[in-house]
Amino acid sequence: MAHKKLGSGKLVLGITGGIAAYKAAELVRLLVKANIDVQVVMTEAACQFITPVTMQALSGKPVFIGMWDSSIANGMPHIELSREADAILVAPASADFIAKVVHGQADDLLSTLCLARDCPLLVAPAMNKQMWENPATQRNINQLKADGISILGPASGEQACGEVGLGRMLEAEALLAGVIAHFTPKLLAGKRILITAGATLEMIDPVRAITNLSSGKMGYAIAQAAADMGAEVTLVSGATALAMPSHVKNISATSAQNMYQAVMGNIATQDIFIGVAAVADYSPASPSTQKIKKSKSLLTLELTANKDILAEVASLPNAPFCVGFAAETENLLEYAEAKRQAKKLPLIVANLATNAMGSDDNQVTLLDKNGAHVLPRAPKIEIAKLLLQHVAGMLL
Ligand code: C5P
């Protein structure tokens, strides 16, 4: 099927009859918050689980249920709604609804919309574990995949029926991530990208360490955005408390030394390297193997300088396109530009350490050979997308 180009962000959210329909309320809230234009379509059975009034209040638009809605100008909601949509997501999708899509049945508005569509269809199955495992459902899922339909989930865990296993609908956040990935132009398709993120931990003794306040949020956001843009992403991650982004290869590296080895061992095949991690500049010269006792009034720690991972990568003979981060507390642009030149980077991201560290938003300036590009203050995921768009533009 020839699909319309994605990008404008109009989503039809289909809700079918299953207890997971209650999660669709939170999903609509998140979609609206992410500036996605949501039109909710419900089956009659879905209305037994959650009311159209709830969905209308959250989406800000009347909900369509029946085929014969006179408010649609041409009287053909299946054509009108599917013509306008950039994607259709059915969440929850019951076993029965999935079977209908497989066979091209169109006996209510939602199934007719799916048949009449000219856009991608995403399906989030939700059903009891036995229904999911039934060979008939598995055959149907394979057929959907063969027809180019994206399957989101299901997840495993406790089910409303009391059983535990595969079949639960993905949580709203995960579905939102799936939709966003679908709406993101694949500017980095075919590119391999390695990202470092988070703080490093330099052991002083078995129970104490030197670290910093980096949360890893910026690096994780870049990894997620790069995966959404079609890149093959490796994330070398120091200490963070964050959930791993989806479709990203994860290598954990605690110390600066571990991070250096993890990066160098994987750099040869990369097209892009983005050093976001706050790598410790120094580590204890000889960490104690036993816990240091509180006996002295003055304790001196001897520190040795760590290798600068970014500078080493940038000076490799076949260096990938390298991007650095400069977190400063003063003279931001001047220090950042000096760093860009010293480390021989095509691009550096300048941010105030006080603005950036730990927060969900950031305000950055991109510095390249053409000068400064100020990005407006925004959530880190938005900054990540703008940064990667800039990188994709420089690579063209
Ligand atoms: O020189 P400074 O540490 O401020 O440079 C910050 C940039 O260098 C960041 O991109 C950081 O990830 C990278 N860096 C590195 N290895 C180090 C120190 C910093 O890759 N040892």
Side-chain angles (χ1 to χ4, degrees):
M1 187 178 295
H3 287 149
K4 273 191 292 195
K5 201 174 161 289
L6 281 176
S8 53
K10 276 184 179 245
L11 181 79
V12 166
L13 174 65
I15 306 174
T16 72
I19 182 60
Y22 80 91
K23 293 188 192 174
E26 175 67 358
L27 175 60
V28 170
R29 200 185 65 78
L30 295 178
L31 288 165
V32 169
K33 205 170 147 208
N35 288 325
I36 293 170
D37 181 335
V38 193
Q39 172 62 62
V40 177
V41 176
M42 296 172 73
T43 62
E44 294 281 355
C47 301
Q48 300 291 328
F49 291 91
I50 189 158
T51 75
V53 176
T54 302
M55 305 315 291
Q56 172 167 344
L58 291 168
S59 66
K61 286 184 190 181
V63 169
F64 291 101
I65 301 159
M67 285 286 278
W68 320 114
D69 196 307
S70 57
S71 67
I72 299 258
N74 64 6
M76 290 186 271
H78 60 294
I79 303 294
E80 197 68 23
L81 294 174
S82 68
R83 190 181 280 158
E84 285 174 1
D86 295 304
I88 301 176
L89 165 65
V90 181
S94 63
D96 171 61
F97 189 79
I98 287 169
K100 274 209 280 201
V101 175
V102 166
H103 291 285
Q105 265 179 285
D107 59 0
D108 61 8
L109 178 61
L110 186 57
S111 54
T112 309
L113 266 176
C114 289
L115 194 61
R117 79 187 186 280
D118 178 25
C119 64
L121 173 59
L122 293 82
V123 164
M127 66 198 73
N128 148 281
K129 147 180 188 291
Q130 258 79 34
M131 291 170 87
W132 173 253
E133 285 168 1
N134 191 300
T137 303
Q138 288 305 308
R139 264 198 314 276
N140 287 342
I141 292 291
N142 287 336
Q143 188 57 51
L144 290 188
K145 287 182 188 163
D147 291 346
I149 293 166
S150 303
I151 312 295
L152 304 179
S156 185
E158 248 177 56
Q159 304 198 313
C161 54
E163 300 205 54
V164 177
L166 259 183
R168 272 167 67 104
M169 187 169 83
L170 290 185
E171 295 305 323
E173 287 82 6
L175 291 175
L176 174 73
V179 171
I180 287 176
H182 235 83
F183 278 100
T184 308
K186 303 291 174 259
L187 295 180
L188 295 175
K191 298 284 182 215
R192 292 199 176 122
I193 175 163
L194 195 150
I195 299 160
T196 64
T200 58
L201 206 64
E202 311 304 326
M203 299 311 286
I204 297 170
D205 69 16
V207 293
R208 302 181 180 103
I210 299 173
T211 187
N212 58 67
L213 298 182
S214 168
S215 63
K217 285 178 187 169
M218 192 67 240
Y220 274 52
I222 294 172
Q224 184 62 67
D228 290 349
M229 289 184 182
E232 198 181 304
V233 184
T234 305
L235 179 59
V236 175
S237 175
T240 78
L242 302 172
M244 192 42 53
S246 39
H247 308 295
V248 164
K249 180 180 163 193
N250 169 33
I251 303 175
S252 72
T254 355
S255 66
Q257 172 68 11
N258 289 157
M259 195 171 270
Y260 173 80
Q261 283 161 349
V263 169
M264 287 306 172
N266 287 277
I267 203 68
T269 53
Q270 304 296 325
D271 301 298
I272 303 167
F273 174 69
I274 308 188
V276 197
V279 186
D281 292 324
Y282 295 92
S283 342
S286 39
S288 168
T289 51
Q290 301 300 330
K291 186 178 171 199
I292 299 170
K293 301 310 273 178
K294 191 172 47 179
S295 53
K296 303 176 196 165
S297 59
L298 183 70
L299 179 70
T300 308
L301 266 183
E302 221 175 52
L303 303 174
T304 49
N306 291 322
K307 284 188 176 139
D308 190 312
I309 305 170
L310 181 59
E312 298 241 353
V313 171
S315 61
L316 287 172
N318 284 317
F321 183 93
C322 286
V323 182
F325 268 71
E328 307 292 346
T329 53
E330 57 178 350
N331 304 331
L332 176 61
L333 298 187
E334 186 193 323
Y335 285 172
E337 180 57 17
K339 222 167 255 186
R340 185 180 83 81
Q341 292 188 16
K343 299 196 191 199
K344 299 189 177 63
L345 309 173
L347 180 65
I348 199 159
V349 184
N351 53 193
L352 282 170
T354 41
N355 268 349
M357 282 200 158
S359 75
D360 291 332
D361 290 1
N362 201 359
Q363 207 273 298
V364 309
T365 301
L366 310 183
L367 297 171
D368 59 22
K369 66 174 181 347
N370 296 322
H373 314 265
V374 182
L375 302 188
R377 182 168 195 91
K380 285 181 174 173
I381 188 69
E382 297 305 322
I383 301 281
K385 284 183 203 164
L386 293 172
L387 165 64
L388 291 172
Q389 276 169 23
H390 194 86
V391 170
M394 288 180 80
L395 285 174
L396 281 179

